Amino acid sequence: MDQTQAPIYQALEEFRKMRVVPFDVPGHKRGRGNPELAKLLGETCVNMDVNSMKPLDNLCHPVSVIRQAEELAAEAFGAAHAFLMVGGTTSAVQSMVLSVVKRGEKIILPRNVHRSVMGALVLCGAIPVYVNPECDPRLGIPLGMKVSEVERAIRDNPDAKAVLVNNPTYYGICSDLRAIVALAHAHGMLCLADEAHGTHFYFHPDLPVSAMEAGADLASVSMHKSGGSLTQSSLLLTGPNVSPGHVRQIINLTQTTSASYLLLSSLDIARRNLALRGREEFGRVMELADYARKEINAIGGYYAFSKELCNGDSVYDFDVTKLSVNTLEVGLAGIEVYDLLRDEYDIQIEFGDLGNILAYLSIGDRPREVERLVSAMSEVRRRFGKSRAGLMDQEYIDPHVAVSPQDAFYAPSESLPLEETAGRVCSEFVMCYPPGIPILAPGETITPQILDYIRYAKDKGCSMTGPEDPDILHLNVLKGGA
Ligand SMILES: Cc1ncc(COP(=O)(O)O)c(C=O)c1O
């Protein structure tokens, strides 16, 4: 196929030239009905914000330009089929999970999944079987899934339908995906990959293996993260053993019938850019990240980690574009460094947790910004560094699933003050956002250790989300002490 083509974008350009009179939605009518919006976004944007119609195809049942764009994306990513998604990677992940499990069926997954996975389980009623990832004692971060642990989970749950893998985790850690795919397939299970942070794996041979190359059956790929498309646009990829018609039906259960052409054309253009220039661009990003790591490690205190963590199993590979830095030896929690960089140095990084920060490097980064980050981190250490005493470095807590996420979410519940909830079963989510990995999910038993963690994270200024009570002074638990 000709990867220089961008069929949705080209159709929009043609459509613009036709000067069609709009008696359809959207009601702003090329911005005329909302001059302030037109001024903010510009003529090009508001003219492209149109609805599905014959020359522009329809995302729910693509037959022309959207279909061609999906075929081009499938080829570029080595997939049997690619679905353009406009509800974020959350919608891709949820469609992926809903395509393979239903109420009462089991899915094997690591605990450090994104909230979108847990949301999918609430929606479909499937039962999570957790493979607890090892936790690196120095960094306090969850690692990948050990192949032997996946094997054990499969042996103990031969009726499970699928195994889900993060490829990579937010911090850049990869499990042995090829081996996990082979294991799943050998036991008649499908393998799904959350590749929200792995778009670039498809475009450079020195990066970890991509889900499609490893033989996975479905993968959710955040084009808007490292791929350069507009926020909220994403891809769902399928392998040869998955029925695209079935996946399309699942997607259409929750997908809008008014997909944004700004998002769709951004996916089309981003795919073209990556297919034509991805290798060169990501080669540059890798060099930039290596340089930043070297400089940050030379400051002292910080530990910008990389491939030296690889151990052939729970850290099978590492995504070197991720600038993940442990901050504890500087005497600051990751979230404190995150806040200082923004408040004192006007630098916004991706996230800070209790012991680490992540600066996201991608195709839009230049050396001069990296220099700014390095010098700000050096100053943070000089001005605000302390002794490590008093910092909590345990990040990973084993969950105890008492009830399925769906049953717990919809069960009668009561609201209790946080300190009275130990021993009870939670009926809602609690997470720090970002990274959005649940500390508690519906159906899990609340322990004193979890309560300590929540209090500490709140105290350090982590943005906590999930519960009905936004201040997290109360939590909803199942009624009757169940
Ligand atoms: C691992 C993982 N999966 C899925 C998502 C959901 O992506 P989105 O924000 O595009 O809905 C995220 C978002 O950060 C993520 O980190």
Side-chain angles (χ1 to χ4, degrees):
M1 294 178 83
D2 182 359
Q3 291 287 339
T4 64
Q5 298 297 303
I8 301 176
Y9 165 67
Q10 287 153 354
L12 273 169
E13 283 290 289
E14 285 305 308
F15 177 75
R16 210 146 59 97
K17 286 187 210 143
M18 285 156 63
R19 307 183 77 81
V20 169
V21 181
F23 278 102
D24 63 349
V25 295
H28 64 67
K29 307 276 171 126
R30 318 287 188 262
R32 285 193 301 276
N34 192 343
E36 285 169 21
L37 182 74
K39 187 158 174 259
L40 173 71
L41 298 181
E43 286 293 308
T44 314
C45 251
V46 287
N47 272 321
M48 280 171 66
D49 186 38
V50 291
N51 205 3
S52 296
M53 60 183 78
K54 202 167 176 194
L56 297 180
D57 210 355
N58 184 322
L59 186 60
C60 298
H61 306 283
V63 292
S64 60
V65 289
I66 294 180
R67 186 164 170 174
Q68 288 158 21
E70 291 191 333
E71 285 166 2
L72 282 162
E75 186 190 70
F77 284 81
H81 200 98
F83 296 88
L84 306 189
M85 305 294 293
V86 292
T89 304
T90 295
S91 67
V93 165
Q94 295 188 338
S95 299
M96 172 168 91
V97 173
L98 267 61
S99 293
V100 302
V101 275
K102 48 185 189 291
R103 188 167 165 78
E105 292 181 341
K106 292 180 188 166
I107 178 166
I108 297 170
L109 70 175
R111 171 54 177 169
N112 52 330
V113 285
H114 184 254
R115 60 184 291 177
S116 53
V117 176
M118 298 307 303
L121 301 187
V122 169
L123 292 173
C124 72
I127 317 281
V129 175
Y130 290 118
V131 171
N132 288 334
E134 250 186 340
C135 186
D136 182 286
R138 172 170 176 199
L139 305 174
I141 59 171
L143 305 175
M145 293 195 287
K146 282 183 161 177
V147 176
S148 56
E149 289 294 308
V150 177
E151 201 167 5
R152 190 153 66 111
I154 289 178
R155 213 175 37 243
D156 294 347
N157 301 275
D159 53 337
K161 298 289 175 201
V163 180
L164 185 145
V165 186
N166 290 316
N167 193 48
T169 68
Y170 223 144
Y171 304 91
I173 287 164
C174 296
S175 306
D176 185 354
L177 189 56
R178 276 199 177 93
I180 294 173
V181 168
L183 255 180
H185 287 175
H187 291 83
M189 299 178 194
L190 295 173
C191 186
L192 323 181
D194 182 342
E195 279 191 323
H197 302 290
T199 311
H200 44 295
F201 290 2
Y202 290 87
F203 299 98
H204 201 290
D206 296 341
L207 287 166
V209 69
S210 68
M212 287 298 117
E213 200 186 336
D217 300 288
L218 292 122
S220 300
V221 178
S222 269
M223 276 291 265
H224 75 89
K225 293 198 167 93
S226 62
S229 63
L230 285 181
T231 295
Q232 210 172 308
S233 60
S234 185
L235 288 177
L236 176 55
L237 307 177
T238 58
N241 299 326
V242 174
S243 154
H246 173 63
V247 175
R248 174 81 67 201
Q249 284 178 325
I250 297 283
I251 290 172
N252 282 342
L253 290 177
T254 49
Q255 177 175 267
T256 175
T257 47
S258 310
S260 160
Y261 276 86
L262 295 174
L263 298 183
L264 292 174
S265 57
S266 87
L267 280 169
D268 207 16
I269 294 168
R271 182 271 313 150
R272 177 168 71 178
N273 182 42
L274 295 184
L276 301 181
R277 290 179 283 274
R279 185 180 173 137
E280 176 194 330
E281 290 285 311
F282 289 118
R284 202 177 50 76
V285 177
M286 286 157 74
E287 275 174 28
L288 206 51
D290 277 341
Y291 168 78
R293 256 189 298 275
K294 195 159 63 60
E295 294 294 306
I296 289 168
N297 284 333
I299 296 170
Y302 296 113
Y303 174 32
F305 45 94
S306 185
K307 283 201 181 247
E308 69 281 2
L309 296 185
C310 292
N311 58 17
D313 199 358
S314 58
V315 189
Y316 187 75
D317 206 347
F318 186 80
D319 171 9
V320 294
T321 72
K322 299 279 185 300
L323 189 52
S324 301
V325 185
N326 187 267
T327 62
L328 291 177
E329 292 301 325
V330 176
L332 295 168
I335 183 67
E336 291 173 312
V337 175
Y338 169 96
D339 283 338
L340 286 166
L341 285 173
R342 193 196 42 248
D343 297 345
E344 301 282 324
Y345 300 95
D346 297 327
I347 292 175
Q348 179 62 47
I349 57 170
E350 179 69 9
F351 76 83
D353 62 25
L354 297 191
N356 303 274
I357 55 169
L358 172 68
Y360 214 95
L361 294 193
S362 190
I363 51 179
D365 284 298
R366 300 170 298 182
R368 77 179 82 150
E369 278 89 21
V370 170
E371 294 294 358
R372 235 182 105 182
L373 173 67
V374 171
S375 70
M377 286 179 68
S378 173
E379 278 206 34
V380 164
R381 180 185 184 221
R382 189 176 53 75
R383 289 176 60 199
F384 304 99
K386 300 189 233 116
S387 95
R388 185 192 164 123
L391 288 177
M392 188 185 211
D393 50 18
Q394 166 59 29
E395 165 98 355
Y396 179 73
I397 300 172
D398 271 352
H400 174 253
V401 181
V403 181
S404 89
Q406 188 184 60
D407 286 345
F409 190 82
Y410 290 111
S413 64
E414 59 185 321
S415 171
L416 288 184
L418 198 62
E419 52 280 6
E420 291 173 27
T421 58
R424 301 292 294 268
V425 175
C426 196
S427 67
E428 54 188 358
F429 290 100
V430 182
M431 53 214 139
C432 296
Y433 203 89
I437 293 162
I439 300 162
L440 273 171
E444 292 175 5
T445 308
I446 303 167
T447 63
Q449 189 194 13
I450 290 172
L451 294 177
D452 283 347
Y453 184 92
I454 293 173
R455 282 189 214 99
Y456 182 81
K458 274 170 65 176
D459 186 49
K460 285 289 175 196
C462 288
S463 159
M464 310 279 290
T465 65
E468 200 172 329
D469 172 8
D471 298 327
I472 319 198
L473 298 170
H474 293 78
L475 279 181
N476 289 346
V477 296
L478 296 198
K479 267 205 168 137

